[in-house]
Amino acid sequence: MDLQVYLAEKTEIVNKRLLRLLPAVGDYPQSLHKAMHYSLFAGGKRLRPVLVLAAAEAVGGDAEAAINTACAFECIHTYSLIHDDLPAIDNDDLRRGRPTCHKEFGEAMAILAGDALLTVAFGLIASTKGAAPSAVLGAVGELAKAAGSTGMIGGQMIDIESEGQEVSFPVLEYIHIHKTGELIRASVRCGALLGGASETELGPLTRYSEAIGLAFQIADDILDVEGSSEEMGKPTGGDQKKGKATYPAIIGLDASRQRAAELVSMAIEALSAFDAKAEPLREIARYITARKK
Ligand code: GRG
């Protein structure tokens, strides 16, 4: 299979559905909807929604059952980026190759656009058609936990508290697994649940998602050291300047590359009992360490 073609197809499906489900730019209050659309359609890779769709596909599920939840993950992800870029957190001026939301629209608007994207996400899941109600409820619970204080926000908080500190390896792993890994794990699990996965399928898919979630953040750390600012759409080297806890800073670049490669192998191995329908998930795992942005 050609992953780039697969990603482009799924991205188009997700973008079309986001446009259909979210308030339009011209809907009142226009300024708020403009800011939400600005960040949501800024050219993100759509990794999390694609994972939702690919996991549903891997268990033979119907794409329609998973698509609204796929969109919900992109809304939560975009909200986290908008808030992360704020002056009170990372104070970044560029994201996805253009001015960050607060640079373009002001801080109050960026806070509210993020809040609105977080809130709408749960409404999108509730509007799912074609999945068992128990699976929809399961997806709501998974996303709430993954995005909350014992998930992404918890990881972000420890990340902030660790800035400029000497960080132990277990704390570094806690930050990466929670800040980034939890949302990726939940993307796969929600797609699988909505696709009608059995318990036997959910276990290996969870192991897959945990391995790629951690590999993704390690790859992101490596890209911040050696990636191109142009391809990344933001200045690189920011982690070191901010004294962030990263894999390269704590175990070095070579060991970081090795760990990311091991995790990708573990992820692919976890899917050994799955047939060709899981090929997109296998290709996504390979892409995570090969990507340039
Ligand atoms: C809620 C303030 C707040 C933060 C939550 C996710 C997060 C924690 C902060 C965002 C900043 C960051 C570097 C997070 C790590 C996860 C990560 C690598 C995000 C970038 O994801 P990509 O590469 O981005 O998928 P695109 O732009 O392609 O969607």
Side-chain angles (χ1 to χ4, degrees):
M1 68 160 293
D2 184 332
L3 183 69
Q4 289 313 317
V5 172
Y6 184 85
L7 292 176
E9 277 171 14
K10 299 296 179 209
T11 296
E12 200 189 334
I13 292 171
V14 169
N15 288 348
K16 277 194 178 146
R17 184 58 67 104
L18 280 167
L19 281 171
R20 200 171 108 192
L21 294 177
L22 258 66
V25 181
D27 287 355
Y28 190 77
Q30 289 99 336
S31 50
L32 180 60
H33 293 133
K34 196 171 158 198
M36 289 162 71
H37 278 249
Y38 174 85
S39 292
L40 204 47
F41 296 99
K45 293 185 290 297
R46 305 298 196 227
L47 174 72
R48 294 146 193 87
V50 172
L51 281 170
V52 175
L53 297 174
E57 197 175 317
V59 298
D62 172 16
E64 183 55 34
I67 180 68
N68 291 8
T69 297
C71 292
F73 272 86
E74 192 62 21
C75 289
I76 298 263
H77 169 59
T78 303
Y79 123 74
S80 79
L81 300 181
I82 295 174
H83 281 192
D84 189 66
D85 290 334
L86 285 166
I89 304 192
D90 266 4
N91 195 19
D92 281 322
D93 294 349
L94 272 181
R95 163 78 63 186
R96 293 170 165 175
R98 45 163 135 171
T100 45
C101 193
H102 68 273
K103 277 278 154 192
E104 189 71 18
F105 301 101
E107 274 183 58
M109 188 68 82
I111 292 170
L112 296 176
D115 289 344
L117 285 167
L118 164 61
T119 313
V120 80
F122 290 93
L124 296 185
I125 303 183
S127 69
T128 297
K129 301 261 185 312
S134 60
V136 178
L137 279 178
V140 169
E142 290 273 341
L143 179 56
K145 187 159 190 311
S149 64
T150 57
M152 179 179 78
I153 301 283
Q156 176 69 7
M157 195 62 243
I158 301 299
D159 191 18
I160 291 172
E161 284 178 354
S162 304
E163 268 177 34
Q165 310 281 320
E166 201 149 302
V167 164
S168 67
F169 191 71
V171 172
L172 173 71
E173 282 224 324
Y174 176 91
I175 294 170
H176 282 34
I177 288 170
H178 290 79
K179 178 176 84 168
T180 310
E182 283 283 334
L183 210 55
I184 289 177
R185 177 181 188 271
S187 314
V188 174
R189 283 180 56 87
C190 287
L193 281 174
L194 293 161
S198 65
E199 277 304 316
T200 327
E201 290 171 316
L202 210 50
L205 283 168
T206 303
R207 289 203 299 284
Y208 163 88
S209 66
E210 288 169 352
I212 63 160
L214 183 52
F216 186 83
Q217 186 55 54
I218 299 175
D220 200 67
D221 288 355
I222 296 171
L223 282 170
D224 193 67
V225 177
E226 54 180 27
S228 118
S229 301
E230 231 166 60
E231 280 180 293
M232 297 285 283
K234 59 177 185 182
T236 48
D239 290 343
Q240 199 192 356
K241 270 190 225 133
K242 290 170 191 152
K244 289 257 187 200
T246 66
Y247 261 71
I250 292 179
I251 65 168
L253 264 176
D254 283 347
S256 303
R257 280 192 209 101
Q258 200 181 326
R259 180 73 182 130
E262 272 166 21
L263 286 160
V264 169
S265 301
M266 279 165 61
I268 294 170
E269 217 173 291
L271 302 182
S272 57
F274 286 75
D275 62 15
K277 293 195 294 303
E279 207 45 32
L281 288 180
R282 295 187 188 97
E283 283 299 320
I284 292 169
R286 293 185 187 104
Y287 159 79
I288 278 176
T289 46
R291 71 198 169 97
K292 300 274 180 253
K293 64 173 191 169

